[in-house]
């Protein structure tokens, strides 16, 4: 037993040592130190090599270096520099050794900036190959100067001359150089033929209209065997001398056609047919080439870069136990009796009634007797709610597609609709939709799945705490369970700064951002404006790509790209779907207004075909937030519970959202009909587990980068004369630095100034470097930390 314990402790200590060594080499700090060392060592080599050519004669006798401490060298980097440069240049590769410092320097940069090891490996391979080739070439052309070629170049030349002679060495050097150029620049015989000068050959047989003859006629020459195989004659038309310079095509008003005979003007038809045949041949050539590439290499797979990516499993979602709907027969009978009694009190007879039980709401479908007006039943909404003593009675009269009237009554004991139960259904798992969204379950307990790509945009509204954020999480979770990171990217806008922060973990998998942005989730209003305008640029770029590919939408484009019919060298690339999610749209409209509304309207109108889709949520569905332009381009709208009928009409163009019961109860309008759903519930810990699972896997080097957008600065931009400062400038400096808040209103209150004067002082403070640039509705940033720093700054300006 004692021996076993000793062996186990030994193996444990060995594994600890191994793990420690592995973690040391994988540490980012180790990479940083090693990268800096290689970059500086490259600079060290370059300086010593440059100094060697000036000092090698004087240092030649001092190469014992370390044996004599009194010996002096003239190399800029001392004895070590002299010895290293002597070894690499004189005993090594000559002037081609200068490639080595650059390889060292760029290797350090590769490690510092975490560039792929494959790129560094190829750079070293070709660098060493070129260093040897250059040493041999210099030794061949300068055989007497051993310093330029080095010992290696000189000896290789001397060795090769014995075997193949000088002409053989020259041919080998020429062949290797040409082989590299051909492989690097992809030179083909066809490309060489195109660059050769073409001879212009004149033939007597031509199709079209010849020059005007001296007699004033236009001679129309027709080919001997036209494509239409019609026998045509050469005709002459008289032309006025004035019109001789600019011939015109004349259309005759009267055309006589013999019975059962059709006159054909052959020229136009022949030209069109020739063009069609040429384009057909070109298309056929492209088609055959693409088919050959597909046969050889298979279709292009956009998921290949992250081929080992695993989708999150359903086990990460919480199971809320038995989600089967329990039927309370007593409750159903009691509600039925009260509905019938209430309608009988108003002399409304019912021919038939049946109930459909949902997770949170039960639908009672009634068939009224003949002669009963539907409007009379609709007006009894409040009376039925009073008799049932229930919150959120909603009457649908009539139900679309049925000859019945629906009365929706909330259940006393509602059932939770979990995200797991929705995503595990066959309807979602086997869906062939481009961007499937599993939003929840209907009154008939069916899973509601809809395609975002066909919506094409989604507008969500509802009062605070009614389920909008949970709805957004359900939308994003649906896409995370169905789409690979290469197929969809999210642009997340979260003015609240707390709702979408969990998705930061999947930044390098699924998120898209601006090139200069640190955080992928956008919270600043200025960044939102820049991002929206950047998406407009991306949209325009994608439309150009679709135009060049002769397709109408992103689906056709990606199919064409996957089948290798589009060349990446011509600017084509696989296009992922981009989903823009804005959590609180009303706040953006309040702070930015038209600057946000204009790009949103552009994207809503045009971005559908290029795969950019919008999901906009707001808690204030008023007319000044959801304008007519936005409503027109958001045909699919989701309404959680709102506070008034006006808000319901604003979002849905119909009543009903004010009668919902909250907690995820929602109405979705798809244009033709309004459907009541119970939104799938996904809690914050569930989203946390999903994002942790995805974030722990291998990712792209960075988030998907949107096109760069340079916005117009909102500052003054006016040159301010520093000698013409306000009398209260220094007092204003002290007020701003003490308060650490740079705003004109603060100066107005503290110094009792007018707005114009306070604004001028703020501009002077910006020019002096005390406050930052204009940032919209935000206060300017104060750049001076305290009063002592301010006093020092003012003294430096005065030259004290």
């Amino acid at each position: 037993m004692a021996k076993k314990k000793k062996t186990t402790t030994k193996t444990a200590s060995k594994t600890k040592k191994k793990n420690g060594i592995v973690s040391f080499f994988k540490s980012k700090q180790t990479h940083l130190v090693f990268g800096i060392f290689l970059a500086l060592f490259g600079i060290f080599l370059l300086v010593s090599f440059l100094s060697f050519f000036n000092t090698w004669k004087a240092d030649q006798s001092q190469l014992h270096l370390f044996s004599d401490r009194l010996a002096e060298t003239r190399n800029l980097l001392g004895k070590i520099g002299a010895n290293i440069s002597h070894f690499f240049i004189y005993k090594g590769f000559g002037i081609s050794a200068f490639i080595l410092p650059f390889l060292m320097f760029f290797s350090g940069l590769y490690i510092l900036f975490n560039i792929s090891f494959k790129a560094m490996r190829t750079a070293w391979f070709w660098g060493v190959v070129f260093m040897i080739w250059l040493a041999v070439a210099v030794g061949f052309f300068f055989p007497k100067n051993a310093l330029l070629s080095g010992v290696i170049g000189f000896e290789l030349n001397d060795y090769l001359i014995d075997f193949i002679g000088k002409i053989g060495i020259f041919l080998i050097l020429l062949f290797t150089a040409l082989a590299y150029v051909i492989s690097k620049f992809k030179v083909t015989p066809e490309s060489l033929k195109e660059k050769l000068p073409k001879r212009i050959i004149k033939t007597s047989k031509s199709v079209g209209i010849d020059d005007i003859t001296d007699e004033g006629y236009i001679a129309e020459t027709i080919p001997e065997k036209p494509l239409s195989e019609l026998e045509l004659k050469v005709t002459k038309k008289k032309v006025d001398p004035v019109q001789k310079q600019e011939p015109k095509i004349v259309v005759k008003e009267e055309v006589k056609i013999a019975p059962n005979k059709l006159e054909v003007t052959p020229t136009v038809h022949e030209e069109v047919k020739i063009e069609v045949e040429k384009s057909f041949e070109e298309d056929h050539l492209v088609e055959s080439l693409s088919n050959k590439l597909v046969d050889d290499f298979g279709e292009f797979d956009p998921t290949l870069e992250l081929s080992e990516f695993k989708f999150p499993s359903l086990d990460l979602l919480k199971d809320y136990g038995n989600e089967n709907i329990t039927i309370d027969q007593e409750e159903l009978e009691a509600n039925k009796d009260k509905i019938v009694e209430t309608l009988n009190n108003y002399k409304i007879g019912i021919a038939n009634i049946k109930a459909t039980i949902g997770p949170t709401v039960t639908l009672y479908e009634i068939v009224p007797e003949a002669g009963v007006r539907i409007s009379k039943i609709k007006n009894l909404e409040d009376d039925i709610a009073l008799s049932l003593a229930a919150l959120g009675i909603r009457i649908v009269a009539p139900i679309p597609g049925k000859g019945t009237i629906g009365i929706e009554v909330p259940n006393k004991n509602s059932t939770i609709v979990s995200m797991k139960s929705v995503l595990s259904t066959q309807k979602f798992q086997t869906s062939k939709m481009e961007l499937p969204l599993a939003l929840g379950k209907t009154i008939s307990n069916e899973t509601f799945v809809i395609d975002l790509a066909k919506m094409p945009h989604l507008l969500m509204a509802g009062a605070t705490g009614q389920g909008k954020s949970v709805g957004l999480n359900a939308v994003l979770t649906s896409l995370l369970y169905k789409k690979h990171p290469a197929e969809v990217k999210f642009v997340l806008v979260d003015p609240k700064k707390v709702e979408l922060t969990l998705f930061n973990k999947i930044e390098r998998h699924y998120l898209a951002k601006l090139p200069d942005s640190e955080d992928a989730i956008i919270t600043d209003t200025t960044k939102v404006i820049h991002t929206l305008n950047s998406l407009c640029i991306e949209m325009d770029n994608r439309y150009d790509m679709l135009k060049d590919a002769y397709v109408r939408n992103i689906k056709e484009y990606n199919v064409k790209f996957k089948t290798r019919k589009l060349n990446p060298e011509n600017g084509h690339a696989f296009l992922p779907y981009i989903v823009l999610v804005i959590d609180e749209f009303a706040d953006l409209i309040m702070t930015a207004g038209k600057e946000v509304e204009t790009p949103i309207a552009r994207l809503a109108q045009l971005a559908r075909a290029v795969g950019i889709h919008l999901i906009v949520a707001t808690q204030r569905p008023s007319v000044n937030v959801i304008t007519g332009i936005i409503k027109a381009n958001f045909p699919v709208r989701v309404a959680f519970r709102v506070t008034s009928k006006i808000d319901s009409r604003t979002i849905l163009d119909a009543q009903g959202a004010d009668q919902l019961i909250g907690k995820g109860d929602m109405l979705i309008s798809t244009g033709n009909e309004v459907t009541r759903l119970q939104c799938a519930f996904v809690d914050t810990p569930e989203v946390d587990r999903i994002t942790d699972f995805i974030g722990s896997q291998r990712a792209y080097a960075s988030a998907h980068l949107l096109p760069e957008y340079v916005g117009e600065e909102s500052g003054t931009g006016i040159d301010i004369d520093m000698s013409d400062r306000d009398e209260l400038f220094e007092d204003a400096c002290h007020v701003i630095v003490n308060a650490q808040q740079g705003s004109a209103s603060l100066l107005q209150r503290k110094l009792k100034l007018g707005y114009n004067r306070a604004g001028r002082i703020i501009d002077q403070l910006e020019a002096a470097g005390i406050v930052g640039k204009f940032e919209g509705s935000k206060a300017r940033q104060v750049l001076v930390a305290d009063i002592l720093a301010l006093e020092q700054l003012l003294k430096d300006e005065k030259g004290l």
Side-chain angles (χ1 to χ4, degrees):
M1 292 292 289
K3 288 182 179 179
K4 286 183 179 179
K5 287 183 179 179
K6 285 181 181 179
T7 52
T8 53
T9 52
K10 284 181 180 180
T11 53
S13 61
K14 285 181 180 179
T15 53
K16 282 184 180 178
K17 286 181 181 179
K18 286 182 180 179
N19 292 334
I21 294 168
V22 171
S23 61
F24 173 76
F25 283 107
K26 286 186 176 181
S27 172
K28 292 183 179 180
Q29 287 80 7
T30 306
H31 291 178
L32 181 64
V33 172
F34 192 56
I36 294 171
F37 169 75
L38 284 179
L40 294 178
F41 186 63
I43 297 171
F44 178 91
L45 288 178
L46 183 63
V47 173
S48 65
F49 287 1
L50 291 171
S51 178
F52 175 79
F53 280 94
N54 292 327
T55 62
W56 71 274
K57 290 182 180 179
D59 292 342
Q60 190 76 21
S61 59
Q62 306 294 335
L63 292 179
H64 47 279
L65 291 177
F66 299 105
S67 60
D68 187 3
R69 293 186 62 186
L70 298 176
E72 295 182 358
T73 54
R74 294 188 181 181
N75 194 293
L76 291 175
L77 295 175
K79 297 177 182 179
I80 294 177
N83 196 38
I84 289 175
S85 55
H86 178 77
F87 176 77
F88 280 110
I89 295 176
Y90 185 77
K91 289 187 176 181
F93 300 94
I95 59 171
S96 62
F98 274 91
I99 296 170
L100 195 62
F102 291 99
L103 288 176
M104 287 285 185
F105 181 76
F106 288 112
S107 297
L109 294 184
Y110 279 142
I111 295 172
L112 280 174
F113 297 108
N114 199 19
I115 302 173
S116 64
F117 177 74
K118 186 178 179 182
M120 185 170 68
R121 187 176 61 192
T122 53
W124 269 95
F125 173 77
W126 287 110
V128 171
V129 168
F130 183 65
M131 196 160 57
I132 296 170
W133 184 89
L134 187 62
V136 174
V138 171
F140 176 77
F141 289 106
F142 303 98
K144 294 181 180 180
N145 196 337
L147 185 65
L148 294 178
S149 63
V151 172
I152 291 176
F154 181 81
E155 292 295 335
L156 282 174
N157 270 283
D158 193 40
Y159 180 77
L160 291 171
I161 284 173
D162 293 339
F163 285 92
I164 56 177
K166 287 190 174 182
I167 296 174
I169 296 174
F170 176 76
L171 292 175
I172 286 176
L173 291 173
L174 181 63
F175 170 74
T176 52
L178 289 175
Y180 176 77
V181 170
I182 290 168
S183 62
K184 183 69 177 175
F185 297 101
K186 298 180 180 178
V187 180
T188 59
E190 288 78 11
S191 61
L192 289 175
K193 285 180 182 178
E194 288 178 0
K195 292 182 180 179
L196 290 174
K198 297 178 180 178
R199 294 178 61 191
I200 300 171
I201 303 171
K202 292 185 179 180
T203 58
S204 58
K205 296 178 181 179
S206 59
V207 179
I209 300 174
D210 291 341
D211 294 333
I212 300 175
T213 59
D214 295 333
E215 291 82 15
Y217 290 95
I218 296 178
E220 296 181 354
T221 59
I222 308 301
E224 294 178 359
K225 292 183 180 180
L227 295 173
S228 57
E229 296 185 357
L230 295 174
E231 294 184 0
L232 304 170
K233 298 179 180 179
V234 177
T235 59
K236 289 189 177 182
K237 299 177 186 176
K238 184 69 177 178
V239 178
D240 296 335
V242 181
Q243 296 178 346
K244 190 173 180 181
Q245 298 297 326
E246 298 181 358
K248 295 182 180 180
I249 298 173
V250 180
V251 180
K252 296 181 179 179
E253 293 181 358
E254 297 180 359
V255 180
K256 293 182 180 180
I257 302 175
N260 300 326
K261 188 177 180 181
L262 179 66
E263 290 187 1
V264 181
T265 307
T267 311
V268 176
H269 289 288
E270 284 188 358
E271 289 179 356
V272 172
K273 192 169 182 180
I274 291 168
E275 290 176 1
V276 169
E277 285 191 353
K278 285 183 179 177
S279 63
F280 175 76
E281 288 177 2
E282 291 172 0
D283 290 344
H284 184 67
L285 180 62
V286 172
E287 185 79 23
S288 60
L289 287 173
S290 64
N291 290 338
K292 188 176 184 305
L293 287 171
V294 170
D295 292 339
D296 292 343
F297 304 104
E299 288 190 359
F300 173 77
D301 185 7
T303 65
L304 202 59
E305 191 171 351
L306 295 184
S307 57
E308 298 177 357
F309 177 81
K310 294 181 180 178
F311 286 94
S313 63
L314 293 172
D315 297 334
L316 299 172
L317 297 169
K318 187 176 179 181
D319 191 354
Y320 288 90
N322 187 15
E323 295 183 23
N324 294 328
I325 297 171
T326 56
I327 300 173
D328 190 345
Q329 197 66 35
E330 292 181 2
E331 183 183 347
L332 289 175
E333 289 293 332
N335 287 339
K336 182 202 74 170
D337 294 339
K338 288 175 182 176
I339 291 171
V340 172
E341 183 183 351
T342 305
L343 294 175
N344 284 334
N345 290 337
Y346 292 93
K347 297 179 181 179
I348 298 173
I350 297 174
N352 188 19
I353 184 168
K354 68 174 184 176
T356 304
I357 305 166
T360 56
V361 175
T362 300
L363 173 66
Y364 294 89
E365 293 183 55
I366 61 174
V367 180
E369 290 181 348
V372 176
R373 297 180 64 183
I374 295 175
S375 60
K376 196 173 181 181
I377 299 176
K378 291 184 74 173
N379 291 335
L380 295 176
E381 191 171 63
D382 294 334
D383 299 284
I384 296 171
L386 178 64
S387 65
L388 294 173
L391 175 68
I393 298 295
R394 178 171 170 265
I395 295 179
V396 184
I399 296 175
K402 296 182 180 181
T404 59
I405 295 171
I407 301 175
E408 296 172 352
V409 182
N411 298 335
K412 288 182 179 178
N413 299 316
S414 60
T415 305
I416 295 176
V417 177
S418 67
M419 198 71 204
K420 184 175 184 179
S421 66
V422 173
L423 297 184
S424 60
T425 57
Q426 287 292 323
K427 192 172 185 179
F428 179 78
Q429 293 289 336
T430 60
S431 70
K432 301 296 182 182
M433 299 177 181
E434 292 295 313
L435 297 171
L437 305 182
L439 296 180
K441 290 188 177 181
T442 63
I443 290 177
S444 57
N445 205 34
E446 293 180 4
T447 302
F448 187 87
V449 182
I450 192 168
D451 192 359
L452 178 62
K454 291 182 179 178
M455 287 188 188
H457 310 296
L458 179 62
L459 184 62
M460 301 174 71
T464 305
Q466 303 304 318
K468 288 191 312 300
S469 297
V470 175
L472 287 178
N473 286 339
V475 167
L476 294 172
T477 304
S478 301
L479 294 175
L480 292 178
Y481 269 86
K482 201 69 177 173
K483 306 305 288 184
H484 190 275
E487 297 172 325
V488 66
K489 301 294 178 184
F490 301 126
V491 178
L492 304 181
V493 177
D494 184 14
K496 294 181 187 174
K497 304 181 181 179
V498 293
E499 294 293 346
L500 301 173
T501 49
L502 288 175
F503 294 95
N504 256 328
K505 299 173 187 176
I506 59 171
E507 174 183 338
R508 294 192 296 145
H509 291 87
Y510 281 100
L511 301 191
K513 65 177 183 179
L514 293 172
D516 58 342
S517 180
E518 294 181 4
D519 297 326
I521 296 177
I522 307 148
T523 56
D524 182 49
T525 306
T526 307
K527 289 286 184 184
V528 174
I529 296 167
H530 289 184
T531 303
L532 293 175
N533 286 287
S534 175
L535 282 172
C536 290
I537 297 171
E538 173 73 12
M539 176 184 71
D540 295 335
N541 293 341
R542 288 189 171 199
Y543 267 114
D544 290 337
M545 294 167 75
L546 262 63
K547 183 187 76 171
D548 295 339
Y550 300 102
V551 293
R552 296 177 61 190
N553 55 53
I554 186 174
K555 188 175 180 181
E556 295 175 4
Y557 178 89
N558 283 338
V559 168
K560 209 167 183 180
F561 188 84
K562 284 180 181 178
T563 53
R564 302 184 185 273
K565 294 176 183 176
L566 300 174
N567 192 350
E569 293 184 357
N570 296 335
H572 292 292
F574 180 81
L575 299 179
Y577 286 94
I578 296 177
V579 180
L580 170 64
V581 180
I582 301 177
D583 186 29
E584 188 43 70
F585 186 60
D587 182 69
L588 297 179
I589 292 294
M590 287 173 62
T591 54
K594 290 289 183 183
E595 290 180 291
V596 167
E597 187 181 348
T598 303
I600 285 280
R602 276 206 73 209
L603 291 170
Q605 289 168 356
L606 300 173
R608 171 185 182 175
V610 292
I612 300 175
H613 303 281
L614 280 62
I615 300 174
V616 177
T618 180
Q619 64 181 5
R620 198 182 70 183
S622 55
V623 179
N624 58 344
V625 174
I626 303 174
T627 60
I629 295 175
I630 291 174
K631 282 181 68 175
N633 293 288
F634 284 78
V636 179
R637 302 170 204 160
V638 168
F640 292 89
R641 187 183 180 189
V642 294
T643 54
S644 67
K645 292 182 179 180
I646 297 172
D647 290 345
S648 178
R649 286 194 173 278
T650 304
I651 181 67
L652 291 176
D653 293 329
Q655 292 184 12
D658 55 316
Q659 300 294 334
L660 299 175
I661 60 174
K663 295 183 179 179
D665 190 17
M666 71 184 206
L667 294 172
I668 179 167
S669 169
T670 55
N672 298 328
E673 57 181 342
V674 178
T675 308
R676 190 166 185 173
L677 302 177
Q678 177 61 37
C679 182
F681 180 67
V682 53
D683 204 0
T684 303
E686 297 176 72
V687 179
D688 196 12
R689 288 195 293 271
I690 293 168
T691 53
D692 278 337
F693 178 81
I694 295 173
S696 63
Q697 300 185 56
R698 181 173 170 267
Y700 296 107
S702 66
H704 183 77
L705 297 181
L706 298 173
E708 188 175 359
Y709 173 77
V710 181
E712 296 179 2
E713 294 294 332
S714 300
T716 55
I718 302 171
D719 294 332
I720 295 171
D721 188 3
M722 301 304 291
S723 62
D724 188 21
R725 282 178 174 170
D726 195 279
E727 296 174 359
L728 297 176
F729 176 78
E730 292 192 9
D731 294 337
C733 292
H734 285 84
V735 170
I736 293 293
V737 173
N738 273 325
Q740 287 295 303
Q741 181 184 354
S743 65
S745 59
L746 178 67
L747 296 181
Q748 286 179 266
R749 294 195 306 271
K750 295 291 185 182
L751 301 179
K752 299 178 181 179
L753 303 175
Y755 177 78
N756 292 333
R757 188 176 181 186
R760 284 195 298 272
I761 294 175
I762 286 289
D763 292 339
Q764 293 170 7
L765 291 171
E766 180 186 347
I770 295 169
V771 297
K773 292 183 178 180
F774 178 77
E775 296 182 13
S777 59
K778 284 187 176 182
R780 293 176 185 249
Q781 184 182 359
V782 180
L783 304 177
V784 180
D786 50 28
I787 295 296
L788 291 176
L790 175 65
E791 295 292 342
Q792 187 62 42
L793 180 65
L794 295 175
K795 282 181 182 179
D796 292 342
E797 283 190 353
K798 293 176 181 177
L800 298 176

